[in-house]
Amino acid sequence: MATTMGRRERKKAQTRQALSDAALRLFSEHGYDGVTVAQIADEADVSIATLFAHVPGGKEALIFDDGAERRVWLVAAVRERPSGQSVLEALRRCMASRGPFTDDLPPELMRKRDLIVSTPALREYSRKLWVASEGALAEAIAAESGRDPSDMTVRALARYVLEIPELAGTEPDPLVAMNAIFDLLESGWPESPVDEPPTR
C-alpha cells in the first residue's frame, strides 16, 4: 500500500513539474498575457481539469511552489542564525541569496526570476506567497526575542520584511534597495536627513 501511495505522489509531482516547465517555457516565448491555461495544459499533455486539480491557484500559480519551502527557510534563518547575529541580519543574509537579490542562480531559475520580476500578475502572486509566511515568521521572531507572537511590533516587523521583495525587487539595483530597507528597519527612521544637520 505504501508503495502505491509513493508512486501516486511521484506521479503527482511529475505532472506538477511538467505543468510548471510548460508554463515557464510558454511564458518566456510568448509573454504571460499571450498564453492561456488551455495552451499550458496542451503543452504539458494533460487536460485542463488535470491542470486545475494539480494547480488550483490557476495561471499565476503554475510556476510557483505552494510557499511552504519559503516559510521553512525564513524560519530557519531566524532560529539557526549564528550566535551574536541579529534576527534582522539573519533575514537580510537569507534574502540576499534569493530571488531578485542575487545573480548566483542556475540559468533556469534566473529565467524564472526575470519572468516573475517583469510580469505584474506574477509579482503580485509572489507577494501573496511572501505575506502568507507572516504568521510563521512572527512566531520565530517572537520566540527569539522573548515576545508574544501577537505583539503588534513582532507582526509588523515580520510583515515589513516580507514586503521587501515586492518593494525592492524591481529597482535598478534590487540588492542595494533591499539593504537600504533593512538598514532602515535596523536603525529606525531618522528625524532629519542624515547628511543635513537639524535646524532650530
Side-chain angles (χ1 to χ4, degrees):
M1 185 72 171
T3 307
T4 305
M5 285 299 290
R7 192 178 310 123
R8 185 179 302 136
E9 291 306 311
R10 278 196 307 276
K11 177 70 173 154
K12 282 174 67 175
Q14 288 168 352
T15 301
R16 180 72 176 80
Q17 189 61 53
L19 286 164
S20 181
D21 292 345
L24 183 57
R25 190 164 49 250
L26 290 172
F27 292 161
S28 297
E29 290 172 8
H30 307 289
Y32 175 81
D33 292 325
V35 178
T36 66
V37 171
Q39 289 171 314
I40 296 165
D42 188 54
E43 179 82 3
D45 197 25
V46 301
S47 69
I48 293 177
T50 298
L51 182 150
F52 280 110
H54 285 81
V55 190
K59 189 170 151 182
E60 295 90 345
L62 280 163
I63 63 169
F64 294 95
D65 61 23
D66 64 2
E69 184 180 329
R70 191 177 316 225
R71 282 190 293 281
V72 167
W73 56 254
L74 282 163
V75 168
V78 172
R79 292 192 173 146
E80 298 168 17
R81 70 192 191 285
S83 177
Q85 186 179 78
S86 73
V87 165
L88 279 171
E89 184 59 26
L91 288 167
R92 182 198 298 250
R93 288 173 184 262
C94 177
M95 228 174 241
S97 66
R98 289 174 165 78
F101 307 116
T102 181
D103 287 327
D104 188 22
L105 293 170
E108 185 74 5
L109 287 181
M110 188 86 74
R111 195 161 58 115
K112 187 174 179 178
R113 187 269 315 266
D114 292 346
L115 176 69
I116 292 166
V117 168
S118 65
T119 308
L122 295 176
R123 277 204 325 270
E124 180 56 30
Y125 192 86
S126 177
R127 179 184 173 273
K128 288 178 186 173
L129 290 177
W130 280 104
V131 173
S133 298
E134 183 182 326
L137 182 57
E139 284 184 19
I141 292 170
E144 294 298 309
S145 60
R147 299 178 188 222
D148 191 291
S150 65
D151 181 325
M152 178 51 73
T153 60
V154 170
R155 290 169 46 215
L157 183 60
R159 173 69 65 89
Y160 296 157
V161 166
L162 296 172
E163 292 287 0
I164 290 174
E166 172 61 19
L167 284 169
T170 56
E171 289 295 304
D173 189 332
L175 184 60
V176 167
M178 181 206 80
N179 281 322
I181 297 169
F182 270 108
D183 288 348
L184 173 63
L185 290 175
E186 287 178 340
S187 63
W189 185 255
E191 284 300 311
S192 58
V194 291
D195 54 347
E196 292 178 19
T199 56
R200 294 208 180 263

